Amino acid sequence: MLFVASFDWPDVQVRCIELLREEEIKLSAVLSHVQCLEKANELKLEGNELFKASKWSEALVAYRTGLGHLPRRKRSLKHPADRELSSDDGTEEDHDEAPQHAEQEPPSEVERECAKARAVLHSNIAACLTKLDDNKGVIDASLEDDPHYIKALQRRAAASEKVDSWSSLARAQDDYKLLLELYPAGSPEMARTKRALQILEPRVQAAQKRETDEMIGKLKGLGNSVLGRFGLSTDNFKFEPNGQGGYSMNFVR
């Protein structure tokens, strides 16, 4: 017996057109990203020449302009930590609700190249900010596209040391420890980084004590301003170790 399949040709034609359009959109996006990469690379090379000429501000403009030509890093809002971050940090938020166990689509080769280019430009921006003594700006430079980018980690650690606060010195410690894991065996940077960690340890402890003492001093000042209305001060309250890891408070006239 002969079976003849029937087709709804108008529907088939419509579906074919839709598929062609989808492929055209994908191809257009790829070409757009390639053009963005080319323009960003031109500006990076321009910035490199300006940097070599010690024109830090001009190089900074070139690098930031190059970064502006690249597509923003996509961030999914399915993760709570990503929801807490603002949308003006160089990322695009994905507001589409996906199935809870859906696999994330892996980035294309062009998207990976864009991520690498963003990481390099962020690092170069940090280098310019270092020359301009904007250490806090260096610390804020993003490492999200490549958190293991060695040059960026080195620059952030150095900038954190210059800020010299308890939190920034602790961040420098973390960056140096990560660098020790990332350096290839036999790297000459290993010894320098280990030495930097040794020097950093007492600085972290000193900064912690300094900031803790400052905080206690401010709290005592606030307490005295309140207790003074009753003829008392914080000196009337003595804290003694209770032998159980805590303190007991005694009132003294």
Side-chain angles (χ1 to χ4, degrees):
M1 181 180 293
L2 178 64
F3 292 94
V4 179
S6 61
F7 296 94
D8 190 344
W9 287 108
D11 288 346
V12 172
Q13 289 175 326
V14 169
R15 183 54 185 155
C16 287
I17 293 172
E18 289 176 348
L19 289 172
L20 287 172
R21 286 178 178 172
E22 289 174 5
E23 291 302 316
E24 183 180 359
I25 291 171
K26 290 180 181 178
L27 180 59
S28 177
V30 170
L31 291 174
S32 176
H33 285 182
V34 170
Q35 291 171 346
C36 290
L37 273 169
E38 290 176 350
K39 184 61 179 178
N41 189 58
E42 288 177 11
L43 287 162
K44 183 193 75 173
L45 295 176
E46 178 184 329
N48 290 349
E49 293 302 316
L50 291 167
F51 191 91
K52 290 176 184 176
S54 300
K55 297 180 179 179
W56 322 124
S57 297
E58 291 90 336
L60 180 62
V61 171
Y63 291 139
R64 282 179 168 166
T65 305
L67 188 62
H69 280 279
L70 293 171
R72 294 185 174 188
R73 187 180 69 87
K74 291 183 178 180
R75 173 184 286 129
S76 171
L77 290 185
K78 292 188 287 292
H79 301 288
D82 286 344
R83 293 194 191 100
E84 294 174 2
L85 298 173
S86 61
S87 60
D88 59 353
D89 63 347
T91 63
E92 290 180 352
E93 297 175 345
D94 182 5
H95 295 277
D96 295 333
E97 290 294 332
Q100 192 170 10
H101 301 289
E103 293 184 3
Q104 188 176 3
E105 184 178 350
S108 65
E109 181 63 28
V110 174
E111 288 173 334
R112 285 194 292 269
E113 289 299 319
C114 286
K116 290 179 184 178
R118 283 194 299 267
V120 170
L121 285 168
H122 274 303
S123 180
N124 290 356
I125 288 169
C128 292
L129 293 172
T130 299
K131 294 293 185 180
L132 295 169
D133 291 326
D134 184 359
N135 295 304
K136 289 186 178 180
V138 176
I139 292 170
D140 292 337
S142 174
L143 275 164
E144 290 183 345
D145 280 298
D146 189 354
H148 292 166
Y149 189 44
I150 288 177
K151 281 188 178 180
L153 283 166
Q154 290 172 329
R155 286 166 180 162
R156 188 171 72 176
S160 296
E161 285 197 64
K162 291 180 181 178
V163 173
D164 201 36
S165 67
W166 179 14
S167 61
S168 67
L169 292 174
R171 185 205 295 266
Q173 272 188 318
D174 291 339
D175 285 342
Y176 284 136
K177 288 175 182 177
L178 178 56
L179 283 166
L180 289 177
E181 297 177 8
L182 296 175
Y183 288 139
S187 170
E189 293 293 330
M190 294 282 285
R192 189 193 68 81
T193 302
K194 288 179 180 179
R195 177 61 178 162
L197 272 172
Q198 291 175 350
I199 296 173
L200 200 56
E201 181 61 32
R203 290 181 61 193
V204 173
Q205 294 176 359
Q208 180 181 5
K209 184 179 183 305
R210 181 179 68 246
E211 293 183 20
T212 301
D213 289 345
E214 288 175 359
M215 181 184 66
I216 292 174
K218 290 178 180 178
L219 289 173
K220 286 184 69 175
L222 178 62
N224 286 333
S225 67
V226 175
L227 293 171
R229 301 172 186 174
F230 306 95
L232 300 172
S233 75
T234 54
D235 293 331
N236 295 115
F237 299 90
K238 301 297 182 182
F239 292 88
E240 301 291 341
N242 59 14
Q244 299 177 356
Y247 290 83
S248 60
M249 183 179 70
N250 299 313
F251 178 74
V252 180
R253 281 289 183 181

